[in-house]
Amino acid sequence: MEIQPISSIECVLLHTRFSPLASEKITAHIANLAALLGCRGDCHMISELGQPPVFTVGDYRITIIQENKPLPIEGFGGCLPQPITKMMMPDAEQRVANHSAHSFVKIARNLALHDYDIVPNLDDETSENFVSTQDSLRAMTLAYRIADVMHRNNQAAAFHWLPSDYLVSPQAFEQAGSEASLTSFFIRPYLYSSDGYINDQGPVGMVANGSQYLLPKPVIFKEANVSYEWMIKRSIQFIDMAIKADAVPANGAPFGVAEGEIIEVFHQPPEPANPMGAFMLVPRNVPKYGIKGGLHSILKEDVLENDIEERALGELNKDDPIDLAILNALRERMQEAQEPTVLPRVQDRRMGPRETHGAATFGKRKTFGKR
């Protein structure tokens, strides 16, 4: 699948002490990790006086920096105030303030060595970017694995995953590594609510920030009265399912994991608030949370199902009760399929004011400057 192009994959580790890993060991680790991911060729280190070492393997150019100094707090301005950060790592601000050293992992293309098996059609505009799901996922996985090596050598107090501007605890980082996929580390959940507050009682929606670098469009979960955990888990499962199938379910198709669960998938076209468009997930039938309905919430009888399949829309008679039910169901589905994404201002009673989710998700990625 084509994705939103991304020029590099970057991860920062925050340490409370400086204990750099020797370049020779890094070279050996990268060689082993790259081979496991199917990268071709040997790993070579390029070292220039006064410059951080650069490692090349396959069509990757990997920069690793280990410095005995903290990073400026401004680099964390997009992730520290996030409700999800404070929910998952309550002492995040203290961890950032207390770090005294850092490691930086960056994976970009080595333009001299293209792996045409994974990116068969490169042109001048895309040659510097990761442009497909397989392409991006392999680079992200390699970045995670290298970060894990650095973490095992010198325990990190926190990780900053720059593609989604996600600040993650060591526990969450390690948990992702033990799961079937690393998606929970790659995706930052951005919570929003149209009532202006994020709390345990009101409806909540979610933007899977970073999903645009794994799928053709970002994933947005329409707000509903469900738990944060359930919504985050289902979003990750949806992304993993699409990656495995190498395709996103068709517009209006169902998605679900638990018995009786129906989540409808809408392909939203680009619009000013979301210039990439989006895959909107809408809970239709979720027994666990008392949401009752379905793809055709009115059309539960077999006779009605047969009618909608066998009769053309123009043949339906609004004066006929069955036809009217079919027409109403179709009208509801068509209207919802064209609904614009809600862009509320989000505020948490405990966490202070938030930005609109459009401004906080699809803008420029955070960076710590040229490396």
Side-chain angles (χ1 to χ4, degrees):
M1 293 180 288
E2 292 186 358
I3 61 168
Q4 302 299 318
I6 180 170
S7 60
S8 62
I9 308 298
E10 302 167 0
C11 182
V12 176
L13 292 77
L14 306 183
H15 307 287
T16 55
R17 66 186 181 93
F18 185 58
S19 180
L21 185 63
S23 297
E24 295 76 14
K25 292 184 177 181
I26 294 176
T27 303
H29 281 299
I30 291 177
N32 292 333
L33 294 171
L36 290 173
L37 293 173
C39 298
R40 299 175 178 179
D42 299 327
C43 180
H44 300 282
M45 182 180 72
I46 303 171
S47 181
E48 297 181 7
L49 186 63
Q51 297 296 322
V54 173
F55 305 84
T56 62
V57 63
D59 67 344
Y60 296 137
R61 183 179 178 89
I62 303 167
T63 304
I64 294 182
I65 299 172
Q66 303 174 87
E67 291 186 319
N68 190 19
K69 65 178 183 180
L71 289 165
I73 190 69
E74 291 78 12
F76 304 93
C79 55
L80 269 180
Q82 291 292 328
I84 193 66
T85 302
K86 297 190 177 184
M87 289 175 188
M88 298 182 69
M89 191 167 42
D91 60 343
E93 292 185 4
Q94 183 177 354
R95 288 173 183 257
V96 171
N98 290 345
H99 86 281
S100 58
H102 71 275
S103 301
F104 179 83
V105 178
K106 176 181 179 180
I107 297 184
R109 286 207 175 283
N110 183 355
L111 300 183
L113 297 169
H114 292 315
D115 187 339
Y116 286 96
D117 285 346
I118 198 166
V119 190
N121 298 310
L122 287 172
D123 56 36
D124 291 340
E125 292 184 2
T126 61
S127 61
E128 296 184 5
N129 296 321
F130 300 107
V131 295
S132 73
T133 297
Q134 186 183 11
D135 188 26
S136 177
L137 182 61
R138 190 172 75 168
M140 288 186 181
T141 303
L142 182 56
Y144 176 93
R145 299 301 179 197
I146 295 173
D148 185 51
V149 168
M150 310 296 287
H151 175 52
R152 292 174 187 273
N153 173 70
N154 183 13
Q155 293 284 304
F159 296 80
H160 191 189
W161 183 251
L162 273 71
S164 57
D165 197 12
Y166 196 14
L167 194 64
V168 178
S169 69
Q171 294 77 16
F173 175 88
E174 294 166 4
Q175 177 63 32
S178 67
E179 296 172 349
S181 81
L182 296 169
T183 308
S184 63
F185 179 71
F186 298 154
I187 302 303
R188 186 195 73 190
Y190 181 93
L191 304 174
Y192 70 93
S193 178
S194 61
D195 68 5
Y197 295 94
I198 297 176
N199 52 49
D200 297 331
Q201 288 75 41
V204 64
M206 193 198 89
V207 179
N209 194 25
S211 56
Q212 66 270 29
Y213 303 128
L214 292 170
L215 301 181
K217 300 177 182 180
V219 174
I220 298 177
F221 220 116
K222 188 172 183 179
E223 60 184 315
N225 284 298
V226 298
S227 72
Y228 310 142
E229 293 80 5
W230 180 87
M231 186 169 282
I232 292 169
K233 186 176 181 179
R234 288 296 181 268
S235 297
I236 291 171
Q237 289 168 329
F238 173 80
I239 294 168
D240 286 342
M241 176 204 67
I243 291 174
K244 184 176 181 179
D246 197 30
V248 176
N251 188 33
F255 162 72
V257 177
E259 183 177 356
E261 195 174 83
I262 300 175
I263 302 168
E264 197 158 5
V265 182
F266 288 114
H267 294 209
Q268 290 199 314
E271 57 186 9
N274 289 329
M276 305 175 198
F279 296 119
M280 175 72 80
L281 306 184
V282 182
R284 291 299 192 198
N285 195 75
V286 186
K288 180 178 180 179
Y289 295 103
I291 300 175
K292 299 180 180 180
L295 293 181
H296 309 286
S297 57
I298 300 177
L299 311 178
K300 291 299 180 183
E301 302 296 334
D302 287 344
V303 61
L304 298 181
E305 293 285 3
N306 290 336
D307 257 318
I308 196 169
E309 292 176 359
E310 297 175 4
R311 297 175 62 183
L313 184 63
E315 298 176 355
L316 297 176
N317 179 6
K318 65 180 181 180
D319 295 325
D320 181 276
I322 293 179
D323 283 4
L324 181 59
I326 295 171
L327 284 167
N328 287 338
L330 286 173
R331 188 176 298 111
E332 179 185 356
R333 287 195 63 203
M334 293 175 67
Q335 180 179 356
E336 289 174 343
Q338 298 174 359
E339 285 182 352
T341 304
V342 179
L343 293 173
R345 177 165 294 280
V346 183
Q347 185 176 1
D348 187 281
R349 298 179 194 275
R350 302 180 299 270
M351 300 170 191
R354 293 294 312 123
E355 298 294 328
T356 58
H357 77 59
T361 50
F362 306 131
K364 293 183 178 179
R365 291 187 301 129
K366 288 294 178 184
T367 179
F368 289 99
K370 291 186 177 181
R371 290 290 186 181

